[in-house]
């Protein structure tokens, strides 16, 4: 695999030599920009990525990042619910609401988390994916 370069693969669909691994296509077509958003309720900072339409349509490398993020949000929410329930009188309804939503996030995150072996398999197959810059065809080498 390490000895193969872009020139070694021709698109199996259209025969174009303008092919590259998905990982390189995405890394080369993605720009990061830090933004700060403000709404009436909160202010947040985020890292947005801007991609070309072609790159945006490509599958991202499988990861458990989203699942861990959900679990993290759920954990924080539960702490907030506990905090509100024990410190604010008359806010039990609010605390219960936050608690239920947080629990759903936590369970959702655990459910979305891929098993390590399945994740490794999905990542390995993603790493082998190539795409054609001419017709957009994707295949695994
Ligand atoms: Zn092609």
């Amino acid at each position: 695999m390490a000895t193969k370069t872009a020139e070694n693969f021709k698109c199996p669909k259209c025969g174009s030599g303008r092919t590259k691994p998905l990982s390189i296509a995405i890394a080369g077509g993605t720009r990061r920009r830090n933004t700060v958003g403000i709404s009436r309720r909160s202010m947040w900072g985020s890292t947005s990525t801007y991609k070309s339409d072609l790159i945006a349509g490509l599958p991202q490398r499988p990861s458990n990042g989203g699942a861990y993020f959900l679990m993290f949000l759920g954990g924080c929410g539960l702490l907030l619910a506990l905090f509100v329930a024990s410190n604010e009188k008359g806010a039990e309804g609010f605390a219960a609401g936050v608690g239920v939503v947080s629990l759903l996030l936590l369970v959702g995150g655990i459910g979305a988390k891929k098993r390590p072996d399945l994740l490794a398999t999905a990542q390995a197959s993603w790493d082998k994916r190539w795409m054609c810059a001419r017709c957009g065809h994707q295949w695994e080498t």
Side-chain angles (χ1 to χ4, degrees):
M1 171 109 187
T3 58
K4 290 175 180 173
T5 63
E7 287 77 38
N8 291 113
F9 288 109
K10 287 221 184 325
C11 172
K13 201 173 172 188
C14 70
S16 166
R18 290 171 56 207
T19 60
K20 49 185 156 184
L22 222 52
S23 51
I24 291 177
I26 289 179
T30 303
R31 285 185 182 78
R32 286 184 179 278
R33 193 176 88 176
N34 291 314
T35 53
V36 175
I38 300 171
S39 76
R40 272 185 302 168
R41 282 163 177 257
S42 62
M43 182 172 154
W44 71 93
S46 71
T47 303
S48 317
T49 54
Y50 292 86
K51 305 166 186 170
S52 70
D53 288 346
L54 177 68
I55 302 300
L58 296 175
Q60 291 292 315
R61 192 169 199 266
S63 82
N64 276 333
Y68 285 128
F69 182 64
L70 282 181
M71 288 155 69
F72 174 74
L73 276 185
C76 289
L78 281 179
L79 286 179
L80 175 70
L82 281 176
F83 180 81
V84 170
S86 57
N87 288 285
E88 303 284 332
K89 287 194 170 63
E92 288 82 3
F94 173 76
V98 170
V100 167
V101 171
S102 304
L103 210 57
L104 286 177
L105 286 174
L106 199 60
V107 170
I110 292 170
K113 187 171 167 291
K114 295 185 183 71
R115 277 166 46 200
D117 53 332
L118 291 181
L119 182 65
T121 306
Q123 286 179 338
S125 107
W126 187 92
D127 287 341
K128 285 189 293 186
R129 274 183 99 81
W130 280 58
M131 64 157 292
C132 170
R134 189 170 152 204
C135 71
H137 182 61
Q138 292 172 34
W139 72 98
E140 282 180 26
T141 59

